[in-house]
Amino acid sequence: MTMRGEQSMEDNPFAQDNHSMVEGQSGPKSCIQENLRMVEREIQEACRRAGRRRSEVTLIAVSKTKPISMIQEAYDAGIRDFGENKVQELLDKIPALPSDIRWHMIGHLQRNKVKYIVGKAAMIHSVDSMALAEEISREAVKKGVEADILVEVNVSGEASKFGMTLEEAPVLVEKIAGLPAIHLKGLMTVAPFTEHPEENRSCFRKLAQIAVDISRKNIDNNGICLLSMGMTGDYSVAIEEGADYVRIGTGIFGERNYKAI
């Protein structure tokens, strides 16, 4: 029997009575397993076109706003990596689901909430400042753990998105390299929303190139090799351009229901 995660109120000051989230909601039978089969076929096809092994790509099921019952269904279908945007929601879900889930923090992270997720998130994808990296490092040292992070890069330059510019990213990487208890694993970007995935190919290609450029500098503590890019509408193109993590929510769980939590 799989053990559930354990968590106290002190660990999760945001805890509340989210009965509907924890227990799930009644309704028509979900199509999660079929959706996962379709996504898996697309991933395999994209890997084939790019000459990559399927094992090189990790599927992160983006479970934000989704009830526990739906996440459990995806888990039962073999998914082990899940992504959340909000600290509160991540903390609420951890004790209600199997302990071997790898949780990814993919949303914007405020420094005052870092202490609640360091040691709980397998990867923090959204490090977008030196101040945030320093806070993660301090908390990891305090807890005696190692924190894996990605630097978020705003490749598209959209004002509505977080992240460093392409010019700023290498500078931040060099600064982060000297921090203790932190492992910089790669880069992340959120491409523009589009109905035509090919329009985002240049965005993904630019992120891959900046990662190559940074790696050539041989910076200490620089493990820049992983790329987190591509979502439901464009993950096939992202894989063709070198994505190691693809973050898929709607393609697995359907449209978000913000009333579910």
Side-chain angles (χ1 to χ4, degrees):
M1 180 176 67
T2 304
M3 297 298 293
R4 303 281 170 168
E6 294 183 358
Q7 188 175 46
S8 68
M9 285 292 289
E10 183 179 357
D11 291 327
N12 180 7
F14 310 104
Q16 56 185 313
D17 184 12
N18 284 333
H19 181 78
S20 63
M21 183 186 74
V22 175
E23 296 299 333
Q25 296 179 321
S26 60
K29 182 176 175 60
S30 78
C31 299
I32 291 174
Q33 290 191 14
E34 179 57 31
N35 290 344
L36 281 169
R37 282 192 286 269
M38 293 175 63
V39 167
E40 178 59 32
R41 284 197 295 269
E42 287 291 330
I43 291 175
Q44 290 184 18
E45 280 298 305
C47 287
R48 183 188 60 77
R49 290 192 298 271
R52 303 180 64 190
R53 297 187 301 273
R54 171 61 184 90
S55 59
E56 295 176 24
V57 180
T58 297
L59 168 59
I60 299 175
V62 179
S63 49
K64 58 184 179 181
T65 80
K66 297 304 178 185
I68 294 299
S69 59
M70 295 182 74
I71 302 172
Q72 184 67 52
E73 187 174 348
Y75 176 91
D76 292 342
I79 300 299
R80 292 296 180 270
D81 291 85
F82 291 85
E84 290 289 337
N85 276 47
K86 296 182 178 180
V87 172
Q88 173 181 341
E89 197 172 344
L90 175 63
L91 295 178
D92 286 338
K93 288 175 176 176
I94 287 174
L97 285 157
S99 60
D100 63 337
I101 286 178
R102 293 178 291 272
W103 292 100
H104 297 255
M105 182 65 196
I106 61 175
H108 182 62
L109 179 60
Q110 296 174 309
R111 279 180 286 164
N112 64 347
K113 295 184 180 179
V114 165
K115 60 186 176 182
Y116 302 118
I117 68 164
V118 167
K120 293 183 173 68
M123 181 82 74
I124 299 173
H125 290 234
S126 48
V127 176
D128 60 0
S129 71
M130 186 61 182
L132 178 58
E134 288 174 335
E135 186 63 29
I136 294 170
S137 176
R138 278 194 294 269
E139 196 60 34
V141 169
K142 186 188 302 183
K143 293 183 175 180
V145 299
E146 303 287 321
D148 290 343
I149 69 167
L150 304 177
V151 164
E152 182 172 5
V153 184
N154 184 357
V155 178
S156 67
E158 294 176 277
S160 61
K161 288 187 169 62
F162 294 101
M164 310 299 290
T165 66
L166 286 168
E167 294 73 28
E168 293 168 336
V171 177
L172 179 60
V173 167
E174 290 195 51
K175 290 180 178 179
I176 289 176
L179 295 176
I182 202 168
H183 298 294
L184 180 53
K185 294 294 187 178
L187 307 175
M188 183 271 264
T189 197
V190 179
F193 173 78
T194 177
E195 294 182 357
H196 306 287
E198 278 296 327
E199 294 179 0
N200 283 338
R201 187 177 293 278
S202 64
C203 178
F204 300 139
R205 190 166 290 174
K206 287 176 182 177
L207 188 73
Q209 185 58 55
I210 198 70
V212 170
D213 293 343
I214 292 172
S215 293
R216 286 174 177 164
K217 295 184 178 182
N218 295 317
I219 302 168
D220 290 341
N221 191 27
N222 173 13
I224 295 291
C225 61
L226 299 178
L227 298 175
S228 174
M229 58 187 191
M231 298 190 291
T232 294
D234 54 19
Y235 65 90
S236 291
V237 173
I239 290 170
E240 292 171 3
E241 294 300 328
D244 299 285
Y245 292 112
V246 290
R247 312 179 304 269
I248 303 176
T250 303
I252 295 172
F253 298 107
E255 295 296 331
R256 295 178 219 153
N257 176 13
Y258 289 99
K259 295 180 180 179
I261 59 173

mmCIF file of all heavy atoms in Angstrom, residues 27-50:
data_model
loop_
_atom_site.group_PDB
_atom_site.id
_atom_site.type_symbol
_atom_site.label_atom_id
_atom_site.label_comp_id
_atom_site.label_asym_id
_atom_site.label_seq_id
_atom_site.Cartn_x
_atom_site.Cartn_y
_atom_site.Cartn_z
ATOM 1 N N GLY A 27 -19.654 13.607 -10.945
ATOM 2 C CA GLY A 27 -19.878 14.143 -12.273
ATOM 3 C C GLY A 27 -19.628 13.051 -13.288
ATOM 4 O O GLY A 27 -19.387 11.895 -12.943
ATOM 5 N N PRO A 28 -19.680 13.384 -14.579
ATOM 6 C CA PRO A 28 -19.461 12.380 -15.608
ATOM 7 C C PRO A 28 -18.064 11.791 -15.522
ATOM 8 O O PRO A 28 -17.121 12.462 -15.098
ATOM 9 C CB PRO A 28 -19.651 13.180 -16.912
ATOM 10 C CG PRO A 28 -19.431 14.599 -16.537
ATOM 11 C CD PRO A 28 -19.905 14.720 -15.130
ATOM 12 N N LYS A 29 -17.931 10.550 -15.903
ATOM 13 C CA LYS A 29 -16.638 9.868 -15.860
ATOM 14 C C LYS A 29 -15.628 10.633 -16.704
ATOM 15 O O LYS A 29 -15.909 11.038 -17.821
ATOM 16 C CB LYS A 29 -16.799 8.434 -16.379
ATOM 17 C CG LYS A 29 -15.508 7.621 -16.316
ATOM 18 C CD LYS A 29 -15.780 6.206 -16.738
ATOM 19 C CE LYS A 29 -14.472 5.422 -16.799
ATOM 20 N NZ LYS A 29 -13.800 5.381 -15.520
ATOM 21 N N SER A 30 -14.451 10.869 -16.149
ATOM 22 C CA SER A 30 -13.450 11.662 -16.853
ATOM 23 C C SER A 30 -12.827 10.851 -17.991
ATOM 24 O O SER A 30 -12.934 9.635 -18.065
ATOM 25 C CB SER A 30 -12.363 12.095 -15.885
ATOM 26 O OG SER A 30 -11.470 11.032 -15.637
ATOM 27 N N CYS A 31 -12.173 11.579 -18.868
ATOM 28 C CA CYS A 31 -11.501 10.953 -20.008
ATOM 29 C C CYS A 31 -9.989 11.012 -19.826
ATOM 30 O O CYS A 31 -9.239 11.023 -20.806
ATOM 31 C CB CYS A 31 -11.895 11.678 -21.296
ATOM 32 S SG CYS A 31 -13.662 11.620 -21.671
ATOM 33 N N ILE A 32 -9.536 11.065 -18.579
ATOM 34 C CA ILE A 32 -8.124 11.269 -18.304
ATOM 35 C C ILE A 32 -7.256 10.174 -18.919
ATOM 36 O O ILE A 32 -6.231 10.458 -19.543
ATOM 37 C CB ILE A 32 -7.880 11.376 -16.786
ATOM 38 C CG1 ILE A 32 -8.474 12.688 -16.249
ATOM 39 C CG2 ILE A 32 -6.390 11.299 -16.458
ATOM 40 C CD1 ILE A 32 -8.427 12.832 -14.751
ATOM 41 N N GLN A 33 -7.644 8.928 -18.757
ATOM 42 C CA GLN A 33 -6.814 7.853 -19.295
ATOM 43 C C GLN A 33 -6.708 7.921 -20.813
ATOM 44 O O GLN A 33 -5.629 7.739 -21.376
ATOM 45 C CB GLN A 33 -7.362 6.494 -18.851
ATOM 46 C CG GLN A 33 -7.181 6.226 -17.363
ATOM 47 C CD GLN A 33 -7.472 4.791 -16.987
ATOM 48 O OE1 GLN A 33 -7.560 3.918 -17.845
ATOM 49 N NE2 GLN A 33 -7.614 4.530 -15.701
ATOM 50 N N GLU A 34 -7.818 8.205 -21.470
ATOM 51 C CA GLU A 34 -7.787 8.329 -22.933
ATOM 52 C C GLU A 34 -6.961 9.541 -23.348
ATOM 53 O O GLU A 34 -6.184 9.483 -24.313
ATOM 54 C CB GLU A 34 -9.206 8.450 -23.485
ATOM 55 C CG GLU A 34 -9.271 8.603 -25.007
ATOM 56 C CD GLU A 34 -8.582 7.464 -25.755
ATOM 57 O OE1 GLU A 34 -8.577 6.318 -25.243
ATOM 58 O OE2 GLU A 34 -8.040 7.730 -26.845
ATOM 59 N N ASN A 35 -7.115 10.640 -22.625
ATOM 60 C CA ASN A 35 -6.318 11.837 -22.926
ATOM 61 C C ASN A 35 -4.827 11.545 -22.773
ATOM 62 O O ASN A 35 -4.012 11.987 -23.593
ATOM 63 C CB ASN A 35 -6.713 12.985 -22.001
ATOM 64 C CG ASN A 35 -8.091 13.537 -22.297
ATOM 65 O OD1 ASN A 35 -8.658 13.283 -23.365
ATOM 66 N ND2 ASN A 35 -8.636 14.293 -21.365
ATOM 67 N N LEU A 36 -4.476 10.808 -21.735
ATOM 68 C CA LEU A 36 -3.075 10.462 -21.525
ATOM 69 C C LEU A 36 -2.536 9.585 -22.652
ATOM 70 O O LEU A 36 -1.385 9.737 -23.069
ATOM 71 C CB LEU A 36 -2.895 9.760 -20.177
ATOM 72 C CG LEU A 36 -2.861 10.668 -18.956
ATOM 73 C CD1 LEU A 36 -2.951 9.854 -17.673
ATOM 74 C CD2 LEU A 36 -1.586 11.512 -18.953
ATOM 75 N N ARG A 37 -3.370 8.674 -23.135
ATOM 76 C CA ARG A 37 -2.935 7.836 -24.259
ATOM 77 C C ARG A 37 -2.654 8.691 -25.494
ATOM 78 O O ARG A 37 -1.672 8.469 -26.218
ATOM 79 C CB ARG A 37 -3.991 6.771 -24.569
ATOM 80 C CG ARG A 37 -3.980 5.586 -23.604
ATOM 81 C CD ARG A 37 -4.821 4.438 -24.125
ATOM 82 N NE ARG A 37 -6.241 4.725 -24.010
ATOM 83 C CZ ARG A 37 -6.987 4.415 -22.951
ATOM 84 N NH1 ARG A 37 -6.438 3.804 -21.912
ATOM 85 N NH2 ARG A 37 -8.270 4.691 -22.935
ATOM 86 N N MET A 38 -3.522 9.681 -25.733
ATOM 87 C CA MET A 38 -3.335 10.566 -26.885
ATOM 88 C C MET A 38 -2.074 11.413 -26.726
ATOM 89 O O MET A 38 -1.293 11.574 -27.668
ATOM 90 C CB MET A 38 -4.566 11.456 -27.052
ATOM 91 C CG MET A 38 -5.820 10.705 -27.458
ATOM 92 S SD MET A 38 -7.287 11.767 -27.506
ATOM 93 C CE MET A 38 -6.821 12.918 -28.794
ATOM 94 N N VAL A 39 -1.873 11.948 -25.521
ATOM 95 C CA VAL A 39 -0.682 12.754 -25.262
ATOM 96 C C VAL A 39 0.574 11.909 -25.430
ATOM 97 O O VAL A 39 1.564 12.346 -26.029
ATOM 98 C CB VAL A 39 -0.738 13.368 -23.840
ATOM 99 C CG1 VAL A 39 0.610 13.946 -23.442
ATOM 100 C CG2 VAL A 39 -1.818 14.441 -23.759
ATOM 101 N N GLU A 40 0.537 10.689 -24.913
ATOM 102 C CA GLU A 40 1.692 9.797 -25.018
ATOM 103 C C GLU A 40 2.022 9.511 -26.484
ATOM 104 O O GLU A 40 3.199 9.503 -26.873
ATOM 105 C CB GLU A 40 1.430 8.498 -24.263
ATOM 106 C CG GLU A 40 2.555 7.474 -24.335
ATOM 107 C CD GLU A 40 3.878 8.003 -23.796
ATOM 108 O OE1 GLU A 40 3.859 8.840 -22.866
ATOM 109 O OE2 GLU A 40 4.927 7.587 -24.324
ATOM 110 N N ARG A 41 0.992 9.278 -27.296
ATOM 111 C CA ARG A 41 1.238 9.049 -28.726
ATOM 112 C C ARG A 41 1.911 10.266 -29.364
ATOM 113 O O ARG A 41 2.840 10.127 -30.165
ATOM 114 C CB ARG A 41 -0.073 8.728 -29.442
ATOM 115 C CG ARG A 41 -0.580 7.307 -29.207
ATOM 116 C CD ARG A 41 -1.626 6.909 -30.225
ATOM 117 N NE ARG A 41 -2.844 7.712 -30.094
ATOM 118 C CZ ARG A 41 -3.883 7.390 -29.335
ATOM 119 N NH1 ARG A 41 -3.863 6.263 -28.624
ATOM 120 N NH2 ARG A 41 -4.960 8.155 -29.293
ATOM 121 N N GLU A 42 1.432 11.456 -29.008
ATOM 122 C CA GLU A 42 2.003 12.681 -29.566
ATOM 123 C C GLU A 42 3.470 12.853 -29.132
ATOM 124 O O GLU A 42 4.315 13.277 -29.922
ATOM 125 C CB GLU A 42 1.186 13.890 -29.119
ATOM 126 C CG GLU A 42 -0.166 14.019 -29.806
ATOM 127 C CD GLU A 42 -0.028 14.366 -31.275
ATOM 128 O OE1 GLU A 42 0.951 15.033 -31.646
ATOM 129 O OE2 GLU A 42 -0.909 13.961 -32.060
ATOM 130 N N ILE A 43 3.749 12.558 -27.864
ATOM 131 C CA ILE A 43 5.120 12.673 -27.370
ATOM 132 C C ILE A 43 6.034 11.708 -28.120
ATOM 133 O O ILE A 43 7.132 12.057 -28.550
ATOM 134 C CB ILE A 43 5.182 12.416 -25.855
ATOM 135 C CG1 ILE A 43 4.495 13.555 -25.097
ATOM 136 C CG2 ILE A 43 6.630 12.265 -25.384
ATOM 137 C CD1 ILE A 43 4.390 13.331 -23.594
ATOM 138 N N GLN A 44 5.578 10.467 -28.280
ATOM 139 C CA GLN A 44 6.387 9.471 -28.978
ATOM 140 C C GLN A 44 6.639 9.877 -30.420
ATOM 141 O O GLN A 44 7.751 9.717 -30.939
ATOM 142 C CB GLN A 44 5.704 8.104 -28.913
ATOM 143 C CG GLN A 44 5.704 7.489 -27.525
ATOM 144 C CD GLN A 44 5.096 6.092 -27.501
ATOM 145 O OE1 GLN A 44 4.984 5.445 -28.535
ATOM 146 N NE2 GLN A 44 4.719 5.629 -26.334
ATOM 147 N N GLU A 45 5.613 10.420 -31.075
ATOM 148 C CA GLU A 45 5.766 10.854 -32.461
ATOM 149 C C GLU A 45 6.741 12.016 -32.570
ATOM 150 O O GLU A 45 7.567 12.075 -33.485
ATOM 151 C CB GLU A 45 4.399 11.252 -33.039
ATOM 152 C CG GLU A 45 3.557 10.073 -33.483
ATOM 153 C CD GLU A 45 4.233 9.300 -34.604
ATOM 154 O OE1 GLU A 45 4.584 9.911 -35.636
ATOM 155 O OE2 GLU A 45 4.440 8.084 -34.440
ATOM 156 N N ALA A 46 6.642 12.961 -31.639
ATOM 157 C CA ALA A 46 7.555 14.103 -31.650
ATOM 158 C C ALA A 46 8.992 13.653 -31.415
ATOM 159 O O ALA A 46 9.925 14.152 -32.058
ATOM 160 C CB ALA A 46 7.137 15.123 -30.599
ATOM 161 N N CYS A 47 9.182 12.705 -30.500
ATOM 162 C CA CYS A 47 10.515 12.165 -30.249
ATOM 163 C C CYS A 47 11.058 11.464 -31.496
ATOM 164 O O CYS A 47 12.237 11.618 -31.841
ATOM 165 C CB CYS A 47 10.482 11.192 -29.071
ATOM 166 S SG CYS A 47 10.289 11.981 -27.456
ATOM 167 N N ARG A 48 10.189 10.729 -32.157
ATOM 168 C CA ARG A 48 10.618 10.036 -33.381
ATOM 169 C C ARG A 48 11.059 11.031 -34.444
ATOM 170 O O ARG A 48 12.110 10.858 -35.075
ATOM 171 C CB ARG A 48 9.467 9.168 -33.910
ATOM 172 C CG ARG A 48 9.830 8.351 -35.157
ATOM 173 C CD ARG A 48 8.609 7.682 -35.751
ATOM 174 N NE ARG A 48 7.595 8.661 -36.146
ATOM 175 C CZ ARG A 48 7.664 9.402 -37.251
ATOM 176 N NH1 ARG A 48 8.699 9.304 -38.067
ATOM 177 N NH2 ARG A 48 6.695 10.248 -37.539
ATOM 178 N N ARG A 49 10.280 12.092 -34.633
ATOM 179 C CA ARG A 49 10.626 13.096 -35.643
ATOM 180 C C ARG A 49 11.951 13.788 -35.320
ATOM 181 O O ARG A 49 12.706 14.169 -36.223
ATOM 182 C CB ARG A 49 9.520 14.144 -35.757
ATOM 183 C CG ARG A 49 8.233 13.626 -36.377
ATOM 184 C CD ARG A 49 7.299 14.765 -36.733
ATOM 185 N NE ARG A 49 6.869 15.532 -35.573
ATOM 186 C CZ ARG A 49 5.795 15.263 -34.841
ATOM 187 N NH1 ARG A 49 5.032 14.217 -35.160
ATOM 188 N NH2 ARG A 49 5.463 16.006 -33.816
ATOM 189 N N ALA A 50 12.208 13.967 -34.015
ATOM 190 C CA ALA A 50 13.423 14.675 -33.597
ATOM 191 C C ALA A 50 14.621 13.753 -33.412
ATOM 192 O O ALA A 50 15.721 14.220 -33.094
ATOM 193 C CB ALA A 50 13.148 15.422 -32.295
#
